Each structure stands twice: as C-alpha cells, then as structure tokens.
Amino acid sequence: MRIVFFGSPEFAVTSLDALIDAGHDVRAVVSQPDRPAGRGHGTTPPPMKVAAESRGLTVLQPGKVSDPEAVESLAALDAEVFVVAAYGQILRQRVLDIPSRGCLNVHASLLPRHRGASPIAAAILAGDALTGVTIMEMVRALDAGPMVARVEELISPFDTTGSLEERLAERGAELLANVIDEWASRRLAATPQDESLVTYAPHISRADALLDWSLPAVELWRRVRAYQPWPVAFTRFGDQELRVHEAWPLDSETGEPGTVLPVRALPPEAGGSGDETFAVQTGDGVLAIRRLQKPGGRPMSGLEFLRGQRDFVGARLG
C-alpha cells in the first residue's frame, strides 16, 4: 500500500521499519521540526528524521501539520493510509480525510487506559502490572478511535520508561505489520473503546520529576522508574540537585521525610546479591537510593557517592 508515516521519537522508527520490510510503499515520513538542544542551542533532528533519511525516504517537517501548505503537500502524495506513531502533533479532520483508506495509530497502552502523550510513564506511575500496544483507527478526539488490535506486555519491577518503550516498540511494530493489510481490505473490524474505562496520560515536565519525600516510598520508586531516561527524578541537597537514576522501596521506619538514613542491605527481590546503599525516609517507608548523579558528574552507586560526601547521613533532602 501507499503509506505516509507520521512519527518523531525512536519508538516510531521500529514501526516504520516493519512497514518497509513488509514491502509497503512509504511515500514520505512526517516528523516534528528540528529542535534546539544542548548548551550551544544548536538544532537536533528527531530520531525519525535521521532514520528516514538514512533509508532514502522523503521527510516533511511542517511546523503545523494542519496548515494549508502542509495539507496540500500531503494530499499530493496520493497515500492510501496514514500511519501515526508518537508523532507529537494533533491531526485535524482535514488531514485525517486525506488518505483513501483511512488513518491508523500505534499507541503504547491498552486503550482506553492511558490516552494521551505519555502512556508508558503513566502505566509505571499507576503501578500497572500489564500494559501493551493498541492499533486504532484515528478520529478527531484524542486517542478515542475504534481499536483494530491489541497486544499485551508485562511490566517488570525493574522496568523504566526506557526499557519498556523498547519492548513496546517491537511488539507494536510486529502487530502493525500483521494487521494493516487485513484492516485496509475491510476484513478486520474495529471495536469501539469503552468510554467508562478512560484514563489520561498528560505531558510530563521536568518539574514533575522533583521527588516529594512526603509521598510513600512505593510511589517515589515508581517516579524514579517512570522518569528514566527523561526527565530523570531529582532531589535537592543544599544548593545541589542530585539526580536519582535507580532506587528501591523498603519497609517503614519512623522519621522525618527527606532524612538521609544509614547504609543498609537490599533484599533479594531488589535484584542484587547483598548490595548495600543509603536510604531516605519518606511519608510511608524508606527509599533506598541505588544510583545517583551529582551536577556535572557521572552516575554512581549510593556507596560510591557516600565516600565523597561528608555529613550526608542525617541530612535533609528536599
């Protein structure tokens, strides 16, 4: 089929490759514009643009995909299907109406749960044991279209948004390649979503990643995992920001939330063999800090951090 593919992050590249490998005619790739990045504020292309150009594909990067000029360019491609995977812009009805057979979206959740911009992080934050990918028909409302197919994936206690995203990208790409022909030929019926089960996954900002030590240890542990690799959970020690890359929740102790506690052994279920590190008192339980990072430094273990930090145990983080 003649396809125009919309996507921006690495998650989308896997689905693009699956369509190419299946022999489809990808007429063009639509991605977000290059963005300023780094201290020098030079522009950086999205991963999808880099991948598409390496495959010799035409890349479009409209500032607003629903502007008349962009709509005209898309219509000229004569696509049968638009496929969207984490593109980053809302497709207005004038865009959805262009392809002759319709539009499909690859969404990284088991819809109708976690509609919106950050479904993988939302699943970890909610403590879900199960997530997955849904292929759905696109409609004007956010992630509300009828579902064509779904695939499930277990969430491990060691999963971060980064690790889970990699697996969901593979599962979603495989599912897309398996169902797109049958759907386009009208042999695969779509199922409406149950609106009574809808939850939303809003955009994440860096401010969300500041750890509030009055919260339970389990919730803070989920935040550390959900905000890895971005924006990375952090706390404050004096005038420093400490980035927390890896943690583990432990049983309750009595103390002031945010207080740094002495070194203790981690339980076997934490995945180490006799690992030790310091912990921080929370509103319910304590959070063992397994890996963290000082400003301008590299990530290090909790014990390694303590060796270079006097009077840290007993201090208050905030």
Side-chain angles (χ1 to χ4, degrees):
M1 283 184 296
R2 301 185 304 278
I3 294 172
V4 172
F5 191 95
F6 295 69
S8 297
E10 195 67 42
F11 174 85
V13 174
T14 315
S15 287
L16 172 67
D17 286 343
L19 294 176
I20 294 172
D21 291 345
H24 294 290
D25 177 11
V26 178
R27 292 293 178 93
V29 166
V30 185
S31 191
Q32 288 277 55
D34 297 359
R35 303 292 188 196
R39 294 180 180 178
H41 301 291
T43 57
T44 298
M48 174 55 73
K49 177 184 180 180
V50 175
E53 289 183 340
S54 72
R55 292 155 177 77
L57 300 174
T58 298
V59 178
L60 307 178
Q61 294 179 279
K64 292 185 178 179
V65 72
S66 298
D67 282 351
E69 297 84 357
V71 171
E72 183 177 348
S73 297
L74 291 170
L77 294 169
D78 191 29
E80 296 170 280
V81 179
F82 284 175
V83 175
V84 180
Y87 170 48
Q89 291 190 40
I90 299 294
L91 271 59
R92 307 295 181 187
Q93 194 62 49
R94 67 178 72 96
V95 177
L96 297 176
D97 289 341
I98 292 173
S100 58
R101 300 194 186 189
C103 304
L104 285 181
N105 182 268
V106 184
H107 186 78
S109 82
L110 296 176
L111 290 170
R113 188 162 177 79
H114 303 314
R115 293 179 182 176
S118 54
I120 301 174
I124 294 175
L125 289 170
D128 294 352
L130 190 70
T131 187
V133 178
T134 303
I135 309 295
M136 66 173 168
E137 296 177 352
M138 295 187 68
V139 297
R140 180 65 184 85
L142 177 66
D143 297 334
M147 300 178 295
V148 175
R150 300 199 307 174
V151 62
E152 297 180 346
E153 181 70 19
L154 290 172
I155 301 177
S156 157
F158 301 99
D159 267 325
T160 64
T161 291
S163 65
L164 191 53
E165 182 179 276
E166 288 182 9
R167 299 205 307 279
L168 292 178
E170 294 290 343
R171 301 298 301 279
E174 180 181 9
L175 184 64
L176 174 67
N178 287 341
V179 303
I180 188 170
D181 287 329
E182 194 172 0
W183 167 80
S185 62
R186 306 295 188 261
R187 297 192 304 271
L188 182 61
T191 304
Q193 296 184 38
D194 185 344
E195 293 294 322
S196 70
L197 300 178
V198 171
T199 65
Y200 287 95
H203 281 282
I204 291 171
S205 71
R206 188 173 185 276
D208 295 323
L210 176 61
L211 296 175
D212 178 355
W213 297 108
S214 69
L215 297 173
V218 168
E219 184 170 338
L220 294 171
W221 170 59
R222 292 171 184 165
R223 292 185 180 203
V224 170
R225 295 162 53 217
Y227 300 145
Q228 183 68 242
W230 188 91
V232 184
F234 69 97
T235 188
R236 295 191 176 100
F237 173 49
D239 60 356
Q240 293 187 83
E241 281 190 2
L242 302 178
R243 306 178 89 187
V244 180
H245 291 278
E246 191 175 345
W248 192 265
L250 300 173
D251 292 336
S252 294
E253 292 187 18
T254 301
E256 192 69 24
T259 302
V260 179
L261 303 174
V263 170
R264 75 270 324 279
L266 295 175
E269 59 267 25
S273 54
D275 288 353
E276 293 183 332
T277 190
F278 70 90
V280 181
Q281 180 69 49
T282 75
D284 182 9
V286 300
L287 189 70
I289 308 301
R290 304 186 71 166
R291 198 161 60 96
L292 70 163
Q293 182 179 9
K294 293 189 289 188
R298 59 176 177 80
M300 63 183 73
S301 71
L303 288 181
E304 188 179 2
F305 175 84
L306 284 181
R307 285 197 290 270
Q309 198 73 53
R310 286 186 177 184
D311 302 324
F312 188 65
V313 174
R316 287 280 304 279
L317 305 180

